[in-house]
């Protein structure tokens, strides 16, 4: 599956005081970057593409049309607004293309079946984890020494 790249302007929600700010976004095969302006020399922030957990329409800002949100695996949320409905859908599709278990706007039936087969084939039987050796279990329950215990009192 070829990952889509995309770039263009979006409004990004910063916080309650700053509100919405224009940013230029670039989605590469490995990263999502955003810049203060299109020709800015370096990104303000970047996110590794594989760290994107979900992308969906946003209902947190009912007064904003074409709003969508990105949630990272570390639970950071980015709220963005596109210029049109189709532009928003293009961004969502591009941002979710690498996430096999998220529904995509245009996934064909054969592709859905292939993904289900891959998931079934890759499911490995669960292997029981052996218990920790007794000395390790004791170490896990002990408190580490304090700073005072480590510093000699004669120095």
């Amino acid at each position: 599956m070829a990952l889509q790249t995309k770039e263009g302007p979006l409004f990004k929600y910063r916080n309650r005081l700053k509100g919405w700010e224009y940013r230029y976004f670039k989605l590469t095969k490995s990263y999502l970057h955003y810049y203060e302006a299109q020709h800015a020399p370096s990104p303000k922030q970047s996110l590794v593409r594989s760290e994107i957990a979900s992308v969906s329409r946003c209902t947190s800002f009912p007064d904003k049309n074409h709003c969508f949100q990105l949630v990272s695996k570390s639970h950071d949320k980015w709220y963005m607004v596109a210029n049109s409905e189709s532009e928003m859908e293009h961004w969502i599709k591009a941002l979710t293309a690498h996430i096999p278990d998220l529904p995509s706007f245009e996934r064909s039936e054969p592709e859905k079946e292939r993904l289900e087969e891959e998931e079934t084939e890759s499911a490995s039987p669960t292997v029981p984890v052996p218990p920790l050796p007794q000395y390790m279990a004791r170490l896990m329950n002990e408190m580490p020494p304090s700073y005072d215990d480590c510093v000699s009192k004669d120095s």
Side-chain angles (χ1 to χ4, degrees):
M1 166 179 33
L3 293 178
Q4 294 183 12
T5 59
K6 184 164 180 53
E7 64 179 81
L10 295 170
F11 283 91
K12 182 181 179 297
Y13 184 73
R14 187 155 169 208
N15 58 41
R16 288 184 181 175
L17 294 175
K18 300 281 184 179
W20 295 90
E21 295 181 334
Y22 168 89
R23 294 289 179 246
Y24 195 82
F25 284 78
K26 287 185 182 178
L27 178 64
T28 68
K29 292 182 190 241
S30 301
Y31 293 95
L32 173 62
H33 305 285
Y34 75 83
Y35 302 79
E36 280 193 32
Q38 182 174 358
H39 301 292
S42 60
K44 278 194 72 72
Q45 193 169 357
S46 298
L47 180 65
V48 177
R49 195 169 182 158
S50 62
E51 286 300 306
I52 298 172
S54 68
V55 184
S56 60
R57 294 175 184 270
C58 175
T59 58
S60 300
F61 302 94
D63 60 322
K64 295 290 181 186
N65 293 326
H66 326 303
C67 183
F68 61 102
Q69 68 181 8
L70 177 151
V71 180
S72 71
K73 290 181 180 175
S74 62
H75 305 289
D76 292 332
K77 289 185 180 180
W78 292 10
Y79 298 101
M80 295 159 285
V81 172
N83 289 327
S84 68
E85 185 75 12
S86 66
E87 187 67 13
M88 178 190 70
E89 289 177 2
H90 285 236
W91 274 105
I92 292 173
K93 182 179 175 186
L95 288 164
T96 58
H98 74 288
I99 309 174
D101 53 338
L102 280 182
S104 180
F105 281 102
E106 297 176 0
R107 247 191 211 138
S108 65
E109 283 303 316
E111 187 177 3
K112 288 179 190 175
E113 289 171 9
R114 182 186 57 78
L115 288 171
E116 286 175 13
E117 286 174 19
E118 286 177 7
E119 195 173 289
T120 305
E121 289 171 5
S122 68
S124 59
T126 57
V127 178
V129 178
L132 286 174
Q134 198 171 25
Y135 74 92
M136 294 276 303
R138 277 196 316 266
L139 288 174
M140 298 283 289
N141 292 327
E142 291 178 8
M143 293 295 292
S146 69
Y147 176 77
D148 292 335
D149 294 337
C150 296
V151 175
S152 100
K153 296 182 182 191
D154 294 336
S155 36

